[in-house]
Amino acid sequence: MAPGGRPRAFEPEAALDAAVETFWRHGYDAAGMAELTGAMGISRPALYRAFGGKAQLFSAALERYIARNMEYVEAALAKPTGREVAESFLVGNAEAVTTPGRPPGCLSVQAMVTDEADAFSLLAKNRLAIQERLSARFRRAIRDGDLPSDENAEELSRFMITLTTGFAIRAADGEPRQALIALARRALAVFPEPEPATPTQTPSHPNSKGMTHD
């Protein structure tokens, strides 16, 4: 309590950060209102007034999580080649899901086992949005000749998302960072290489045909 018996001022950002960690550690279903209000330091009525309910709170928490813990996605998409995009994305994810001082794994994976259709749909949409951005980046790499012309950008992006979902699960199981990074490097061994450049043929001298030397 603040001096004079007044309730302590409510800090929405700090409360939302606490909600992020609660959902992250426990998942959507297991994070009950008692756990959420206890972690956030607010009453249930205050939670409803500020966020509208558990589903709305989860949506806000997921947005904050993406903004604060998935910077590696933007960094990867900005890399100059398709292979560097893949490497940065996989290694960045391996580091993000094993960040010291944060819950292991990924909020979007920890919370996906739920009977709440809205929460499940929200998580699926987030994964799909990242997958589509990767697909677009790989399509550009194919157009630029940075990846083979017959490569499938959508398949590559699904490969990336499937791997990182697995990384999150393994991290939650206690897999150490270096082990996940080693898996990322192994996965890159099957990532397509750029098509070899066609050697430029040196034209023969116009007067060289039929020339002989004495």
Side-chain angles (χ1 to χ4, degrees), residues 87-197:
E87 180 177 15
S88 181
F89 182 74
L90 292 177
V91 173
N93 176 269
E95 292 174 345
V97 299
T98 55
T99 301
R102 295 178 180 173
C106 172
L107 171 60
S108 64
V109 173
Q110 296 290 94
M112 73 181 182
V113 181
T114 175
D115 294 328
E116 176 58 49
D118 288 345
F120 186 86
S121 176
L122 195 64
L123 294 168
K125 285 178 181 177
N126 177 57
R127 287 189 293 274
L128 182 59
I130 297 171
Q131 181 178 306
E132 288 177 343
R133 294 187 69 194
L134 285 168
S135 292
R137 181 62 186 83
F138 290 143
R139 282 195 296 273
R140 193 180 97 198
I142 293 168
R143 288 195 303 271
D144 292 346
D146 177 46
L147 288 176
S149 58
D150 61 351
E151 193 51 71
N152 187 314
E154 285 68 32
E155 189 175 286
L156 286 176
S157 65
R158 288 198 300 271
F159 180 50
M160 296 290 108
I161 294 298
T162 300
L163 285 170
T164 53
T165 300
F167 287 179
I169 293 170
R170 295 298 294 155
D173 287 344
E175 193 83 356
R177 171 176 288 191
Q178 288 308 312
L180 292 179
I181 291 176
L183 290 177
R185 305 288 185 203
R186 182 172 289 275
L188 288 167
V190 301
F191 196 83
E193 297 281 357
E195 289 180 331

Side-chain angles (χ1 to χ4, degrees), residues 28 44 47 59 64 76-77 81-82 88 92 94 113 145 147 154 197 206 209:
Y28 183 86
R44 186 175 296 205
L47 187 151
S59 178
R64 189 161 180 84
L77 290 168
T81 69
S88 181
V113 181
L147 288 176
E154 285 68 32
K209 190 174 181 180

